[in-house]
Every structure is written in structure tokens, then in C-alpha cells.
């Protein structure tokens, strides 16, 4: 997506921050900057004003502590910036090892500076399915851990809910993509596709969307309700993958 088209739909404070990053990072990093990419909710169009952060991928020709310090200086500000920093050396291997992450980025991103890192990216179907199942199983493990660890801790479980919502929608949509389905960018429409694709009640995802828009204290009774819905959904998808995809790795 072009920067102008994407920025037109963003709150002013986010547009200003992106412009600042686009100017500051290339200046501080100089020739060491290979790529600067904006991704996430700012590009997808579902940013939540005053809550969402900005996701940037920074690819350095050489990843050094000095470069890391320069990035830390550039991203300091009122709007949180979440940087993902890798080195150009071994970039292709990083793309394979973290294939689900980079495939997700490559579908909705804006190149702010440098070279497009996703031009020609190619990862085998078997690797993608293996890593996708790993990611969903990990979400299920973390869901159980968070409820047991933080279910009685309103603040801790609140942070878990704010963090997990986007990941669940992104990862479950990826399962369906790898099975040949088209996925819309808008999260509410993705939730409908997830519900239809797996034949499961995905209403918990709508609940999580609403919760992220208006965070509030979570009682233990509410934590149990959230956990029940999240676990049932993830467990259903894991069982779907076991029945549908052969184990090839």
C-alpha cells in the first residue's frame, strides 16, 4: 500500500509519527539501513487511536549494538513503536524460520525507505504448514498458562487479553490461507471467515475486539469466560489441523 493512501486513513498523531520515523531512522542509520517497513494495524486500517502502537521492520546491512542504540533513540516518543530488527546477512533464513510472521507482514506493508525485502520471497508449503501449526499450538499453550497464572490477577490477565487478540485472528486466518481460502483485511470479516472455515463459534474474537477498544478490569468470573471461549476456539483449530494436514516434518 502506498504511504499517501495508507496515511490518509490514520489519526494525525500516527501520521506525524510515521513521517518522523521515515526521516529520522535513515538519517541516524545511514548506509547501514537496508529496509524500513511499516506493517500491522496502521497498514491494515484497523488501528485503535491512543491504544495501538506502530509496527516497523528494520533490516540492517549489519546489526550492531551502535545501530540498536540509534534505533532506540529514534523510536522514543509518546506513541509506542514496536521495532522488529534483523540483519540482511541471513535474511532469507530468518524469513524461513519466522515464515508465518514475515508472510503476515508481506501481505500488508508499506515500504518507508530502502529496498523492498519481500520481492521474491518464497517458502515451501510444508514449512509453512509446520510453522503455522506450531504457532497455533503455542497460542493454546499460552492461553492455558495465562489463565492459570493470571486468572485471579485482574491486571495481568488484562494485559494478556490486550496482547493475544490480534495474534489469534492473524494465525487462524493464516491456517485458512494455507488451505486455499482468501482472507479479508478487516478483522470483523476475518472473524466471520474463521467461523465459517472451521465450523466453530468464534464470537470470543468479537468480544476480544470490543475489549481492546474499551479495556476494563477483568473479574475472575469474566476471566473464566474469556478463557473458555479462547481455549475452545484454539483447541478446535488444532484438532482441525491434525485431521486435515499430514505431519511432514
Amino acid at each position: 500500500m502506498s504511504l499517501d493512501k495508507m496515511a490518509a486513513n490514520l489519526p494525525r498523531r500516527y501520521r506525524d509519527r510515521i513521517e518522523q520515523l521515515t526521516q529520522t531512522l535513515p538519517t541516524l542509520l545511514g548506509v547501514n539501513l537496508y529496509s524500513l517497513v511499516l506493517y500491522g494495524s496502521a497498514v491494515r486500517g484497523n488501528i485503535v487511536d491512543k491504544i495501538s502502537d506502530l509496527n516497523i521492520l528494520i533490516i540492517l546491512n549489519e546489526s550492531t549494538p551502535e545501530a540498536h542504540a540509534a534505533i532506540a533513540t529514534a523510536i522514543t516518543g509518546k506513541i509506542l513503536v514496536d521495532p522488529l530488527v534483523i540483519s540482511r546477512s541471513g535474511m532469507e533464513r530468518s524469513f524461513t524460520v519466522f515464515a508465518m510472521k514475515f508472510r503476515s507482514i508481506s501481505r500488508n506493508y508499506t515500504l518507508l525507505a530502502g529496498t523492498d525485502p519481500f520481492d521474491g520471497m518464497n517458502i515451501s508449503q510444508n514449512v509453512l504448514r509446520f510453522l503455522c501449526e506450531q504457532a497455533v499450538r503455542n497460542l493454546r499453550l499460552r492461553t492455558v498458562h495465562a489463565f492459570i497464572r493470571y486468572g485471579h490477577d485482574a491486571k495481568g490477565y488484562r494485559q494478556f487479553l490486550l496482547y493475544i487478540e490480534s495474534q489469534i485472528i492473524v494465525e487462524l486466518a493464516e491456517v485458512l490461507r494455507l488451505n486455499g481460502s482468501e482472507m479479508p483485511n478487516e478483522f470483523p470479516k476475518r472473524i466471520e471467515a474463521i467461523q465459517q472455515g472451521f465450523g466453530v463459534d468464534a464470537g470470543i474474537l468479537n468480544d476480544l475486539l470490543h475489549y481492546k477498544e474499551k479495556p476494563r478490569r477483568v473479574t475472575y468470573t469474566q476471566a473464566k469466560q474469556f478463557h473458555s471461549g479462547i481455549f475452545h476456539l484454539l483447541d478446535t483449530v488444532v484438532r482441525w489441523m491434525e485431521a486435515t494436514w499430514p505431519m511432514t516434518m
Side-chain angles (χ1 to χ4, degrees), residues 114-207:
T115 302
D116 188 339
F118 301 114
D119 186 21
M121 184 178 73
N122 185 31
I123 304 168
S124 77
Q125 186 80 351
N126 284 344
V127 169
L128 289 171
R129 285 186 171 183
F130 175 83
L131 293 174
C132 190
E133 181 171 342
Q134 181 185 66
V136 178
R137 286 181 177 275
N138 185 48
L139 283 172
R140 188 177 62 172
L141 286 171
R142 288 164 58 199
T143 294
V144 174
H145 173 268
F147 175 68
I148 294 173
R149 176 67 178 82
Y150 299 111
H152 287 282
D153 176 0
K155 183 177 179 181
Y157 198 72
R158 176 181 183 271
Q159 291 303 114
F160 164 74
L161 291 177
L162 291 173
Y163 183 75
I164 205 74
E165 167 260 341
S166 294
Q167 287 195 12
I168 294 176
I169 295 173
V170 168
E171 297 295 354
L172 298 195
E174 190 63 32
V175 176
L176 293 174
R177 280 195 184 93
L178 290 177
N179 209 49
S181 299
E182 294 290 330
M183 284 289 116
N185 286 335
E186 301 85 356
F187 273 14
K189 292 183 179 179
R190 282 195 197 184
I191 293 172
E192 292 178 10
I194 288 168
Q195 186 159 286
Q196 295 173 4
F198 297 114
V200 64
D201 181 1
I204 185 62
L205 297 180
N206 286 314
D207 293 341

Side-chain angles (χ1 to χ4, degrees), residues 24-195:
T24 305
L25 282 166
T27 299
L28 290 174
L29 295 171
V31 296
N32 196 19
L33 179 63
Y34 178 72
S35 292
L36 176 60
V37 172
L38 178 72
Y39 68 97
S41 60
V43 183
R44 289 193 305 264
N46 60 341
I47 203 164
V48 180
D49 193 15
K50 300 182 181 179
I51 294 178
S52 297
D53 53 14
L54 290 172
N55 301 103
I56 55 172
L57 167 64
I58 302 171
I59 302 178
L60 301 168
N61 286 307
E62 184 180 2
S63 188
T64 66
E66 292 75 18
H68 306 159
I71 294 168
T73 297
I75 68 172
T76 302
K78 291 183 179 180
I79 293 180
L80 293 178
V81 178
D82 189 10
L84 174 59
V85 181
I86 65 172
S87 173
R88 184 182 178 188
S89 174
M91 180 178 71
E92 291 78 11
R93 291 182 75 120
S94 292
F95 282 179
T96 298
V97 172
F98 302 106
M100 308 317 300
K101 176 70 173 179
F102 287 111
R103 263 175 58 92
S104 176
I105 294 174
S106 71
R107 277 189 295 273
N108 296 284
Y109 71 96
T110 295
L111 182 66
L112 300 179
T115 302
D116 188 339
F118 301 114
D119 186 21
M121 184 178 73
N122 185 31
I123 304 168
S124 77
Q125 186 80 351
N126 284 344
V127 169
L128 289 171
R129 285 186 171 183
F130 175 83
L131 293 174
C132 190
E133 181 171 342
Q134 181 185 66
V136 178
R137 286 181 177 275
N138 185 48
L139 283 172
R140 188 177 62 172
L141 286 171
R142 288 164 58 199
T143 294
V144 174
H145 173 268
F147 175 68
I148 294 173
R149 176 67 178 82
Y150 299 111
H152 287 282
D153 176 0
K155 183 177 179 181
Y157 198 72
R158 176 181 183 271
Q159 291 303 114
F160 164 74
L161 291 177
L162 291 173
Y163 183 75
I164 205 74
E165 167 260 341
S166 294
Q167 287 195 12
I168 294 176
I169 295 173
V170 168
E171 297 295 354
L172 298 195
E174 190 63 32
V175 176
L176 293 174
R177 280 195 184 93
L178 290 177
N179 209 49
S181 299
E182 294 290 330
M183 284 289 116
N185 286 335
E186 301 85 356
F187 273 14
K189 292 183 179 179
R190 282 195 197 184
I191 293 172
E192 292 178 10
I194 288 168
Q195 186 159 286

